[in-house]
Amino acid sequence: MLSSGSVRISYFPECDWNCEHQGPCCAPSPAPCDRLPCDERCSELLSCGHRCPGLCGEPCPYDHFCIHPDCATKTPAGVAEQVVDLVSLTPFSSLSDAAVDADPLVALPCGHAYTASTLDAWLDMETRFYHRAPPEGDRPGRWLGLRPLPTADQDEVKGCPDCREPIRGVRRYRRATHKAALDLIDRMMATAAAVRLEQGGERLQAIEGQLGGWRLEPTGIEQGCPTLSPSTKPLVTALQRAETEAGAYTQLAKLLRRGPKRQVYEEAFFCARNLVAAEEVRGGGDSAGPDAAAAEESRGHGRPRASAAQVPAAGLLLDRLGLPVPLTAEKGPSARSRLEAAEAALAALPPADARAVWEAQCAHLDAAALVNRIASTGLQATLPPYPDNGRTSTLLRSQATRFRSKLNARAERWSEPALSQAGAMALGSPGRLEPRMADRLTGAFLSLILARVAQLEASVPYMKSRAAVHDVRQRQGDLLDRGGMLLEARSAAWHAPAGGDEASKGTQNGGGVVDRAAGRMALQLSRVAFLQAGKPFQTQAGLGDNKAIRRQQEELLDEVQALAAEAEAALNPAGTQPAAAPGADEGPLSGIRRTAAQAAQWREQLKRSGELRDIVEAMARGEIHSGHRISYNTRILAGHLYRCANGHVYMVGECGSPEADATCPECGAPIGYGSRNARVQLTDAVLG
């Protein structure tokens, strides 16, 4: 789309409705027409030599619709017996030239024909789309102007009164039929988007599920042509599918925000504005008068009148526009009235479905997280041992390096824009989101953060400088801080009490307390889980102290218990309500108790992991002795622990340096020599 000042060049094809009585339609072809209908009979001749019975500006019908007496014997029986006027019940065989002059025929694509007045009433032309004067004798009144389109309503595509085949291809009714068609497209798009979003999680899970047991296996070594392409193809294919999903969700969000229907109405508005500009530039004047021009200027759509020096340049631009000629409103509605009708139709469009747009944006974050997880899988894979350490080794390592570089680049490409988008969504209005929308965003954002942190961690063994490793550690810390900021913002939003009488009323009957307690309890448990998931990265990067993180988790769990007690007191002050029976519908109090039980499980897990960590820290410091000597097992553990690509800890005996390849007994990932697994401290090997 090109623009020049207030003139916009549209690439929609032009509408072909034009006649000598009402002039051209200036709207783009997909939009509802913005000219008045013509009631005059067509002056063309049919191939039989008789005058056409149709309307001016419409394609001429087939010859068997000729009403001349000489052609009466050629009229099919079905056409002759058809009732063409549903008010007077006049059959086609009773039509005369005078009757058709007063009320011409409209032939539909289905093969039926009706008088213009019959179809005008059938399609509500006078009540919904045009203004019309009272009848003049035996003729209908003149068309006076355009009614604003009822774009807030959803119209059904109307069909032939006889066979119900959709009415299409009739220029006279394009203002009605095009609106109904756009409404249908709008409904179909909304339905397709809902299905797409509903199936989005399953599609992403299917992509990730195809990578189960994937390994990096070289082929062609025996033939002297070693390559990694066959083994990398499944992962690359999965990565491409995840990227396609991420891009599709971005486009879906844009389409939901500004769908085809809105785009067409915007183009109709710009075409009408172009027409106003063209009239002013070419000296057509303002047919609506100075008051209308001032009003248009005040709405922001006005345009200073062109000077004589500007006319030649503007004329060249208007020639490029391909606008209909004549550009002045000598026939049909004035340019100003067309602009006002198009503006009113655009303003009446209902807003986009905020929930659907939000869900599409969150689905994009899910797909970006999957891209990072797939990249992490590829980065964690190691080459198995092979006998040749010469040319074969060099070729395979070179291919592996290029493969990993591509994975890092593609993860970077999708992660940074998605993280920026998520940050704007999450921190822009944390207290004004609906709980479901906020929960959906929180889950998607935290999943993306953890996937990105894990992908960066998987790339560390291949960094060539300490500065690069430091940069990665800094980025990991920033990402974990952003996750913490998101949860803090959500927590503050939940903590703020609702104001007004309605909140007081909810507090009196316990509903307000329970709703806030349930939401905040679930949020604080999410914070505990996020801190737990980030522990390995924080300890490995030196970004946090495990004990401090555990204390923060315990404080959150204390708050969950306090909220549970508050809700219990509000809903069950006498303490007489028992726990819900298995299989019964879960009430508010049952949900509170279930969340409190989850918090107790978290507390027990933190307690066990804390005790174990204290024991191992004492071993690492040499405080556990066996016969006044530091235990032999303690010395072995001190520098012989490694972590596989999936986070499982294993130990290497002897000198502690791996000299052979093996597989992790927990998950089967490659470990040992060539795996580049990082050595971990004794305390870091403990869960939590």
Side-chain angles (χ1 to χ4, degrees):
M1 190 62 61
L2 303 177
S3 62
S4 178
S6 65
V7 179
R8 176 165 165 165
I9 302 176
S10 173
Y11 294 107
F12 277 102
E14 298 174 10
C15 180
D16 59 354
W17 191 19
N18 193 358
C19 79
E20 57 183 330
H21 307 104
Q22 294 292 350
C25 170
C26 299
S29 62
C33 288
D34 66 355
R35 57 153 276 182
L36 300 180
C38 181
D39 292 332
E40 299 297 326
R41 182 178 175 181
C42 179
S43 60
E44 301 291 330
L45 299 180
L46 300 177
S47 60
C48 62
H50 303 125
R51 187 178 178 185
C52 173
L55 283 164
C56 177
E58 296 288 344
C60 293
Y62 293 112
D63 290 351
H64 60 251
F65 285 109
C66 179
I67 62 168
H68 196 275
D70 294 346
C71 292
T73 58
K74 303 176 184 178
T75 304
V79 174
E81 296 172 359
Q82 182 195 340
V83 175
V84 296
D85 192 323
L86 299 182
V87 177
S88 63
L89 300 180
T90 303
F92 179 85
S93 58
S94 300
L95 292 177
S96 63
D97 271 338
V100 172
D101 287 342
D103 197 0
L105 287 177
V106 178
L108 300 179
C110 61
H112 297 104
Y114 296 91
T115 59
S117 60
T118 295
L119 290 179
D120 288 351
W122 180 254
L123 292 167
D124 301 320
M125 295 285 283
E126 296 182 25
T127 58
R128 303 187 73 233
F129 299 101
Y130 296 98
H131 293 287
R132 195 169 195 173
E136 302 171 357
D138 59 345
R139 294 183 63 87
R142 297 181 300 105
W143 298 101
L144 300 178
L146 304 171
R147 288 183 185 271
L149 284 171
T151 48
D153 301 333
Q154 285 283 327
D155 288 1
E156 297 292 336
V157 179
K158 285 197 172 183
C160 168
D162 189 350
C163 66
R164 304 300 179 181
E165 181 178 327
I167 296 174
R168 60 183 184 275
V170 181
R171 297 168 182 169
R172 179 184 184 87
Y173 301 122
R174 281 180 180 171
R175 189 164 179 82
T177 58
H178 280 194
K179 180 194 178 301
L182 289 172
D183 290 344
L184 177 61
I185 292 173
D186 193 52
R187 294 193 297 271
M188 293 174 62
M189 187 198 73
T191 302
V195 173
R196 182 71 169 79
L197 292 173
E198 184 178 353
Q199 299 175 349
E202 298 177 0
R203 295 165 67 95
L204 296 180
Q205 290 177 5
I207 294 173
E208 193 166 13
Q210 293 178 353
L211 296 178
W214 177 84
R215 293 176 180 275
L216 191 63
E217 296 285 351
T219 59
I221 295 179
E222 294 78 5
Q223 292 78 16
C225 300
T227 179
L228 296 176
S229 296
S231 64
T232 60
K233 186 176 181 180
L235 188 134
V236 171
T237 300
L239 187 62
Q240 290 173 344
R241 291 181 59 192
E243 291 175 327
T244 300
E245 292 291 316
Y249 283 124
T250 300
Q251 295 301 320
L252 181 60
K254 293 180 180 178
L255 194 61
L256 288 170
R257 193 181 294 110
R258 182 175 173 264
K261 180 179 177 179
R262 179 170 292 276
Q263 293 180 37
V264 169
Y265 280 112
E266 287 177 354
E267 288 302 319
F269 166 76
F270 285 115
C271 286
R273 195 173 68 174
N274 288 346
L275 184 63
V276 172
E279 284 193 343
E280 293 181 355
V281 169
R282 294 194 175 180
D286 189 356
S287 58
D291 294 339
E296 179 68 23
E297 188 98 18
S298 67
R299 285 194 297 267
H301 301 301
R303 184 177 189 273
R305 191 172 299 279
S307 63
Q310 293 174 315
V311 170
L316 293 176
L317 177 59
L318 293 171
D319 289 339
R320 291 174 55 203
L321 288 174
L323 289 173
V325 179
L327 288 171
T328 57
E330 297 177 357
K331 299 176 182 178
S334 67
R336 293 285 178 184
S337 64
R338 296 180 197 233
L339 178 59
E340 290 170 359
E343 183 181 18
L346 183 59
L349 284 175
D353 186 348
R355 286 190 179 185
V357 174
W358 195 265
E359 180 61 32
Q361 292 174 325
C362 291
H364 170 73
L365 302 183
D366 292 338
L370 177 58
V371 170
N372 278 274
R373 289 196 295 272
I374 294 175
S376 298
T377 301
L379 291 171
Q380 292 168 355
T382 58
L383 290 172
Y386 35 83
D388 183 8
N389 292 323
R391 176 176 176 274
T392 299
S393 174
T394 302
L395 288 175
L396 291 178
R397 293 187 183 278
S398 175
Q399 294 179 31
T401 300
R402 290 196 299 269
F403 174 62
R404 294 175 183 127
S405 298
K406 291 180 180 179
L407 293 178
N408 281 324
R410 292 168 82 163
E412 185 83 17
R413 172 192 172 192
W414 289 101
S415 298
E416 297 310 314
L419 288 167
S420 299
Q421 172 188 313
M425 293 168 62
L427 302 179
S429 54
R432 295 191 294 272
L433 296 177
E434 296 181 10
R436 287 187 179 181
M437 296 171 65
D439 291 343
R440 176 72 176 92
L441 173 62
T442 301
F445 194 4
L446 296 183
S447 175
L448 175 60
I449 287 176
L450 292 176
R452 181 59 175 160
V453 169
Q455 188 275 327
L456 290 172
E457 184 66 29
S459 67
V460 168
Y462 308 104
M463 297 295 175
K464 297 181 179 179
S465 65
R466 291 185 177 180
V469 174
H470 176 75
D471 179 64
V472 167
R473 298 306 187 194
Q474 187 66 40
R475 294 170 68 181
Q476 288 177 309
D478 292 343
L479 288 170
L480 293 173
D481 288 343
R482 290 171 71 176
M485 290 172 59
L486 168 64
L487 291 170
E488 286 289 346
R490 286 290 318 281
S491 180
W494 270 109
H495 187 69
D501 296 337
E502 189 67 26
S504 300
K505 180 179 178 182
T507 304
Q508 291 175 1
N509 59 25
V513 171
V514 172
D515 290 343
R516 288 195 297 274
R520 188 165 174 80
M521 288 171 67
L523 176 63
Q524 303 304 55
L525 283 183
S526 298
R527 297 178 67 183
V528 172
F530 179 73
L531 290 172
Q532 189 72 10
K535 275 184 182 180
F537 307 112
Q538 290 179 324
T539 55
Q540 290 176 31
L543 300 173
D545 178 12
N546 258 291
K547 289 186 176 180
I549 296 174
R550 192 173 69 197
R551 285 194 297 270
Q552 185 179 357
Q553 290 175 302
E554 290 172 348
E555 292 173 359
L556 294 172
L557 294 175
D558 290 341
E559 182 179 352
V560 171
Q561 286 186 335
L563 290 168
E566 181 183 356
E568 181 90 20
L571 278 183
N572 190 23
T576 57
Q577 183 174 343
D585 293 338
E586 185 179 88
L589 189 54
S590 299
I592 293 291
R593 290 171 174 172
R594 179 170 52 82
T595 307
Q598 293 175 355
Q601 293 174 1
W602 267 111
R603 185 179 296 278
E604 184 64 24
Q605 176 182 340
L606 293 177
K607 180 181 178 181
R608 289 197 306 267
S609 64
E611 292 174 349
L612 183 58
R613 176 172 286 277
D614 292 340
I615 294 173
V616 177
E617 284 180 346
M619 294 172 62
R621 292 192 300 267
E623 295 176 359
I624 297 180
H625 295 73
S626 175
H628 304 288
R629 296 175 59 189
I630 297 178
S631 169
Y632 175 75
N633 292 333
T634 302
R635 296 201 308 271
I636 290 295
L637 289 173
H640 294 235
L641 297 178
Y642 294 80
R643 194 187 299 273
C644 80
N646 295 320
H648 302 115
V649 177
Y650 64 93
M651 187 181 73
V652 177
E654 301 299 334
C655 66
S657 178
E659 298 180 355
D661 288 286
T663 58
C664 175
E666 296 288 338
C667 63
I671 61 174
Y673 179 79
S675 66
R676 291 179 178 265
N677 292 155
R679 179 182 279 122
V680 296
Q681 297 298 322
L682 186 61
T683 53
D684 292 339
V686 181
L687 177 65

